[in-house]
């Protein structure tokens, strides 16, 4: 991905129509986050080959591709250089059109960010009330895992101590700020500070 800005204590990248920014925090020791990027569904196999040539993929039951039939999606998981749990997800209900070969710039947007809470359903209720963020229609809310938003901007709410799928890394609270827009044709904005 192309670098947007690089400073002494921060770096940001373009991720399609999103920006991902990391800021050094000397008071936090080794934070681990989960975030996912939408990629074009018709390029999923090409993306898999492209990524495998550059990094080791995480496997689930010996498989590199995770199928989410309820979400009509396929995912690939991997770590970045700081052990964040990253995901490339092809959401087949989104029709991204491109005729170019897959490359890092083919990522469409940051589509998920993991937020950690002791009371997942209570936190979900708070976000829904404060920001009118909908429950994700393709995922039933659960006390340990709830998803809010839409396919282009999802808040993945996970219980403290639950493991980030598909790893054994426990979910912990770390500093985080998120600005989201929901839906391609909507101007709604949500700013979440974790």
């Amino acid at each position: 991905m192309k670098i947007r800005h690089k400073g002494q204590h921060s770096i940001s990248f373009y991720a399609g129509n999103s920006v991902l920014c990391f800021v050094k925090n000397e008071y936090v020791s080794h934070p681990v986050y989960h975030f996912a990027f939408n990629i074009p569904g018709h390029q999923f196999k090409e993306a898999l080959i492209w990524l495998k040539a550059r990094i080791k993929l995480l496997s689930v039951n010996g498989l590199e591709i995770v199928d989410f039939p309820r979400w009509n999606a396929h995912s690939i998981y991997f770590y970045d250089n700081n052990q964040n749990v990253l995901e490339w997800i092809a959401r087949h209900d989104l029709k991204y059109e491109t005729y170019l070969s897959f490359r890092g710039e083919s990522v469409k947007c940051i589509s998920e960010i993991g937020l950690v809470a002791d009371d997942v359903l209570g936190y979900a209720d708070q976000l829904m009330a404060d920001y009118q963020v909908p429950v994700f229609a393709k995922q039933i809310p659960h006390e340990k895992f709830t998803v809010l938003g839409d396919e282009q901007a999802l808040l993945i709410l996970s219980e403290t101590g639950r493991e980030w799928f598909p790893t054994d890394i426990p979910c912990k609270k770390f500093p985080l700020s998120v600005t989201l827009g929901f839906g391609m044709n909507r101007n709604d904005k949500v700013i979440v500070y974790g």
Side-chain angles (χ1 to χ4, degrees), residues 18-116:
S18 304
V19 175
L20 176 65
C21 183
F22 295 96
V23 178
K24 183 178 180 178
N25 184 330
E26 60 188 59
Y27 302 105
V28 178
S29 177
H30 193 70
V32 174
Y33 298 94
H34 163 68
F35 42 97
F37 303 92
N38 279 351
I39 61 171
H42 69 284
Q43 290 187 315
F44 185 77
K45 289 182 182 177
E46 188 179 352
L48 175 67
I49 293 166
W50 187 93
L51 192 59
K52 281 178 68 167
R54 289 159 175 78
I55 198 164
K56 182 181 180 199
L57 302 181
L58 299 174
S59 66
V60 179
N61 299 322
L63 302 174
E64 297 170 328
I65 298 172
V66 180
D67 182 18
F68 294 103
R70 189 180 324 153
W71 292 27
N72 192 23
H74 289 89
S75 290
I76 312 165
Y77 289 88
F78 55 100
Y79 293 118
D80 71 3
N81 61 328
N82 290 312
Q83 294 300 106
N84 291 305
V85 181
L86 277 56
E87 173 185 4
W88 278 4
I89 184 165
R91 300 176 191 279
H92 302 294
D93 292 337
L94 296 177
K95 304 299 180 194
Y96 294 120
E97 295 296 327
T98 182
Y99 301 100
L100 301 173
S101 297
F102 188 88
R103 58 193 191 282
E105 291 86 9
S106 299
V107 166
K108 295 300 180 183
C109 64
I110 302 169
S111 64
E112 299 177 10
I113 183 67
L115 302 174
V116 181

Side-chain angles (χ1 to χ4, degrees), residues 121-135 148 190:
L121 294 177
Y123 190 37
D125 287 343
Q126 176 189 342
L127 291 171
M128 288 187 290
D130 290 350
Y131 302 108
Q132 294 72 51
V133 182
V135 170
L148 304 178
V190 176

